[in-house]
Amino acid sequence: MSVYFPQKKLPYLLVLPQLVITAIFFLWPAGQAVLQAFYREDAFGLSQQFVGLENFVDLFQDPLYYKSMMVTMVFSFSVAFLGIAVALWLAVMADRVIRGKMVYQTLLVWPYAVAPALAGVLWWILFDPNIGPVALFLDRIGLHWNHFLDGDQAMILVVISATWKQISYNFLFFLAGLQAIPRSLIEAAAIDGASSFKRFWDIVFPLLSPTTFFLLVVNLVYAFFETFGVIDTTTQGGPDGSTNTLVYKVFKDGFIGLDSGGSAAQSIVLMAIVGLMTVIQFRFIERKVQY
Amino acid sequence: MTDLVLENIGKTYPNGYQAIPSIDLSIEEGEFIVLVGPSGCGKSTLLRMVAGLETITQGDLLIKGNRVNDKEPADRDIAMVFQNYALYPHMTVRANMEYGLKNRGVSKQERHNKVMDVAAMLGLDELLERRPGQLSGGQRQRVAMGRAMVRDPKVFLFDEPLSNLDAKLRVQMRVEIRQLQRKLATTTLYVTHDQVEAMTLADRLVVLNKGKAEQIGTPMELYDKPATTFVAEFIGSPSMNLLDGMLTERGIALSDRLALPMAHDYRGAIKWGIRPEHLQQSDAVNGDFSLQVQAVESLGAETLIHGVLEDGAEQPNPIVVRLSGPHLPDIGSRMWLTAPLQHWHLFDAITQQRL
């Protein structure tokens, strides 16, 4: 949709606040990061030395960086897959509920309103090896839980915390997608002799595929870039870097390791990834399959 | 042999709303039955009850002698064509038509043969690898019918299948559906709100009003002898003229000044009806009554004249006359008409039943 303004200045004036915010909070720091990526700075920020691409060379020769990449991949795809699968299951169930539909749906949407850090704390308490009820329960059934020592368990914990929040978002989209499928299609399939299981896999799931693909991209972006709070409140990237995702590593190297140059170089790589994912998102989602 | 029997079938929703109080209907093998009525009369609900998409809360539904009330739609051996066609948008035409056979474990070769047969019959050969989104409305309609036919069911159910087509295509598909049904001789239940569609397609019609069957009969029975004023007004276009009157020993008094002579045993308030096509133009000497012309609709082959009865009544009685060929009376002019006795319809004013 296009809107035409007779005046030349008004439209620019109207978008100015947004542009100013973008410039101050995004473009300026991003520019600073780009600059910093080419310098080496001492821990107190007293001296700078131009080092060219050395920060990047160091980065791509660091096995820890590749480990962090792997961790990010495992984490992101686990969150996306789990988040989508659980949300789809919940949406299909909620769609069938007749009595108290609104109550179910509202309750299922609530977690989305919880801040990421709080979600992290919540799960951290539930799984705390000393006081957490879930950890105690697992101990009782013979599964020793300590995510401070066991890297896999730490990964499971952050995946659960990050997924839990995202399920609400996915749920809403799936519910809307399900409600957009004409009921007569399901009825036709029922007359055609398809069991409810087949109706789902043959009819409903393919018709939801545009929604599923959209959510896959959105969830990957979420897991990549927006899970700092969850990780910071639960595992702080540990143990031994087993939950140290790329975003968390930027923070850790820059603000705890005080290696601002290396951290800035990592930010540049992340920016490139964001750019790439945005392109994918626009290219595929804008012309998503239409039925 | 009776194929489909509805015995005292009724539907009451959990909230207490009674959509269909009770309907009895028995359908012969190969018969084409049309359920017709205004929107909200329960015709679609009744069809969906037969299909198994709505529960039946009362009575028995028998298909070939078996009670199928509690059977799943898939186990009733019926096929349904939906108003919006309900084609699976992500499947090709072939896959759409095969789906029901596939679910029933029909072999690949047999599926192929059946689809090809039906596709040839409906002229869909060229379209088998396309998706519904690439088809026109008429083609989709055909695919929907093909999907129903492939399975060779005992009963076809149609839920307003033509209402999404344009007028010309609708007439064409109407004829085609009738021919196909004759050829296949499959028992058919067809729902529509369009009385022309109903009249042209049906072996027998069921006129539904508020969940009740007002009358069941052949199209001509309903046209010639409508059982109630509702049927009288619903069947035929334009609708039958219905006027309030009193039946006395002198005949039917339509107003203080106008009476039509007739001998009848009944005494009291009635509704007098005559179809627009049965009124004949006349002159002041022979005419039964006169009309003040208010509007003329020229359709070429026929002319519809709208007017009010000149009977001196305070409430003007509107009358429609249908004359064949072109006529051009002046607006406001007087037109004398005769109403032949054999075309009169009398209804009890209170019960609305035919006298």
Side-chain angles (χ1 to χ4, degrees):
Chain A
M1 196 182 79
S2 310
V3 178
Y4 295 96
F5 291 90
Q7 311 96 323
K8 285 274 179 285
K9 285 178 191 160
L10 183 62
Y12 292 103
L13 203 66
L14 290 176
V15 293
L16 191 66
Q18 181 61 47
L19 287 179
V20 168
I21 287 169
T22 308
I24 295 178
F25 293 103
F26 178 71
L27 292 179
W28 185 43
Q32 285 289 312
V34 172
L35 279 181
Q36 268 188 350
F38 297 101
Y39 286 90
R40 182 164 294 157
E41 203 175 62
D42 71 293
F44 303 101
L46 298 173
S47 63
Q48 277 190 337
Q49 184 194 353
F50 184 78
V51 291
L53 289 173
E54 210 177 302
N55 282 327
F56 290 94
V57 175
D58 285 351
L59 190 60
F60 287 108
Q61 284 176 344
D62 182 1
L64 284 178
Y65 191 62
Y66 291 102
K67 184 182 176 189
S68 175
M69 243 182 215
M70 272 310 294
V71 165
T72 309
M73 286 294 165
V74 171
F75 173 71
S76 301
F77 280 94
S78 305
V79 168
F81 177 78
L82 199 66
I84 286 174
V86 175
L88 180 57
W89 183 73
L90 287 174
V92 169
M93 293 300 146
D95 198 32
R96 288 187 193 166
V97 173
I98 296 165
R99 209 175 285 214
K101 200 168 194 160
M102 282 307 287
V103 178
Y104 277 93
Q105 294 177 2
T106 310
L107 287 177
L108 281 165
V109 170
W110 269 359
Y112 195 60
V114 176
L118 286 184
V121 170
L122 175 83
W123 289 97
W124 173 72
I125 291 173
L126 283 174
F127 278 93
D128 186 274
N130 299 314
I131 57 162
V134 178
L136 292 179
F137 171 77
L138 289 173
D139 260 343
R140 196 160 294 168
I141 61 169
L143 198 117
H144 186 64
W145 182 271
N146 191 340
H147 59 259
F148 295 117
L149 299 175
D150 187 322
D152 292 337
Q153 290 185 355
M155 178 58 92
I156 291 171
L157 175 62
V158 287
V159 166
I160 290 176
S161 321
T163 306
W164 176 70
K165 250 190 72 56
Q166 199 59 11
I167 284 174
S168 305
Y169 180 85
N170 297 352
F171 169 77
L172 274 184
F173 274 85
F174 275 131
L175 195 65
L178 283 172
Q179 282 162 358
I181 296 176
R183 234 180 60 165
S184 59
L185 281 181
I186 312 297
E187 292 172 346
I191 291 175
D192 267 342
S195 60
S196 67
F197 181 78
K198 269 193 81 93
R199 288 201 289 266
F200 178 77
W201 288 111
D202 289 351
I203 312 293
V204 176
F205 190 67
L207 290 178
L208 281 177
S209 65
T211 308
T212 312
F213 183 71
F214 165 80
L215 287 177
L216 181 67
V217 176
V218 169
N219 281 302
L220 283 178
V221 171
Y222 159 80
F224 250 78
F225 304 109
E226 290 168 38
T227 45
F228 173 84
V230 168
I231 291 173
D232 194 46
T233 49
T234 49
T235 63
Q236 282 99 41
D240 188 25
S242 57
T243 53
N244 201 11
T245 61
L246 290 173
V247 169
Y248 199 73
K249 192 169 156 59
V250 169
F251 160 79
K252 227 177 174 179
D253 291 1
F255 291 89
I256 297 178
L258 293 178
D259 173 13
S260 64
S263 171
Q266 291 178 34
S267 308
I268 306 297
V269 175
L270 276 179
M271 265 191 250
I273 298 176
V274 175
L276 190 73
M277 292 195 97
T278 312
V279 171
I280 292 176
Q281 187 166 355
F282 276 108
R283 280 287 287 278
F284 289 97
I285 289 176
E286 290 296 295
R287 58 182 180 93
K288 66 182 173 189
V289 204
Q290 292 286 348
Y291 290 120
Chain B
M1 172 188 171
T2 41
D3 220 27
L4 182 61
V5 181
L6 284 71
E7 264 174 22
N8 185 26
I9 288 274
K11 168 105 190 161
T12 308
Y13 282 99
N15 64 11
Y17 173 69
Q18 199 175 32
I20 294 171
S22 169
I23 281 184
D24 285 291
L25 178 65
S26 88
I27 302 171
E28 299 297 313
E29 193 171 340
E31 213 178 356
F32 199 125
I33 298 287
V34 174
L35 302 175
V36 65
S39 48
C41 71
K43 56 191 190 298
S44 280
T45 306
L46 188 59
L47 188 81
R48 292 168 59 81
M49 283 157 72
V50 174
L53 300 172
E54 297 274 354
T55 54
I56 298 169
T57 55
Q58 164 198 320
D60 296 311
L61 176 67
L62 309 172
I63 296 179
K64 291 249 190 256
N66 300 314
R67 187 175 183 275
V68 296
N69 282 39
D70 304 319
K71 282 201 173 165
E72 290 292 314
D75 302 329
R76 295 188 179 192
D77 207 0
I78 47 121
M80 183 155 166
V81 176
F82 290 83
Q83 180 171 5
N84 62 0
Y85 317 137
L87 299 175
Y88 312 124
H90 57 296
M91 296 187 193
T92 61
V93 169
R94 180 192 297 279
N96 262 286
M97 286 167 73
E98 271 188 342
Y99 190 62
L101 297 174
K102 223 174 184 171
N103 288 329
R104 285 176 174 77
V106 176
S107 76
K108 202 174 173 185
Q109 184 59 43
E110 202 179 331
R111 281 199 319 250
H112 178 80
N113 293 343
K114 285 190 170 179
V115 169
M116 292 318 274
D117 284 351
V118 171
M121 213 187 297
L122 291 169
L124 292 170
D125 317 62
E126 308 284 311
L127 307 175
L128 284 176
E129 306 311 323
R130 295 218 202 149
R131 293 197 179 188
Q134 299 164 296
L135 303 177
S136 69
Q139 288 169 332
R140 282 183 215 182
Q141 163 67 46
R142 247 172 249 263
V143 175
M145 279 170 50
R147 184 171 67 182
M149 283 162 58
V150 160
R151 293 225 332 265
D152 191 19
K154 287 201 189 84
V155 182
F156 278 139
L157 304 174
F158 289 91
D159 190 6
E160 309 221 13
L162 302 181
S163 52
N164 285 356
L165 299 177
D166 63 61
K168 197 178 158 201
L169 207 52
R170 202 177 305 160
V171 174
Q172 190 190 327
M173 288 307 292
R174 199 167 76 200
V175 176
E176 218 165 291
I177 287 179
R178 189 68 184 116
Q179 284 171 345
L180 275 170
Q181 196 270 341
R182 284 252 164 79
K183 196 155 136 194
L184 300 168
T186 307
T187 310
T188 301
L189 206 55
Y190 186 108
V191 161
T192 182
H193 63 268
D194 179 347
Q195 58 97 11
V196 178
E197 219 170 282
M199 294 287 279
T200 50
L201 284 170
D203 289 324
R204 278 193 300 154
L205 277 167
V206 180
V207 180
L208 285 170
N209 181 25
K210 294 179 186 145
K212 288 196 194 89
E214 291 267 334
Q215 191 173 5
I216 302 174
T218 66
M220 287 323 288
E221 278 169 15
L222 266 61
Y223 178 82
D224 290 336
K225 284 193 164 31
T228 63
T229 52
F230 181 83
V231 178
E233 285 190 293
F234 196 79
I235 300 295
S237 175
S239 296
M240 183 187 286
N241 297 303
L242 277 177
L243 302 176
D244 291 320
M246 289 293 286
L247 200 57
T248 63
E249 55 272 20
R250 291 189 299 114
I252 299 165
L254 291 177
S255 72
D256 294 342
R257 282 171 29 198
L258 179 62
L260 301 170
M262 181 192 204
H264 200 290
D265 299 334
Y266 188 83
R267 294 285 173 271
I270 57 148
K271 279 185 185 280
W272 175 75
I274 186 153
R275 295 195 181 277
E277 53 269 38
H278 293 144
L279 288 168
Q280 291 165 2
Q281 207 174 357
S282 180
D283 52 41
V285 181
N286 298 313
D288 291 324
F289 48 79
S290 65
L291 195 71
Q292 192 190 9
V293 177
Q294 288 193 323
V296 179
E297 291 179 302
S298 298
L299 303 172
E302 62 188 38
T303 306
L304 301 180
I305 294 161
H306 300 257
V308 284
L309 200 60
E310 293 182 315
D311 57 358
E314 279 173 31
Q315 287 282 328
N317 276 317
I319 291 271
V320 182
V321 187
R322 182 184 194 171
L323 302 172
S324 64
H327 293 265
L328 267 179
D330 291 332
I331 306 296
S333 66
R334 174 172 294 172
M335 179 182 255
W336 283 98
L337 297 166
T338 52
L341 186 64
Q342 73 268 28
H343 291 305
W344 292 10
H345 301 271
L346 300 185
F347 302 94
D348 187 314
I350 295 154
T351 64
Q352 308 287 317
Q353 299 290 316
R354 186 179 188 84
L355 288 176

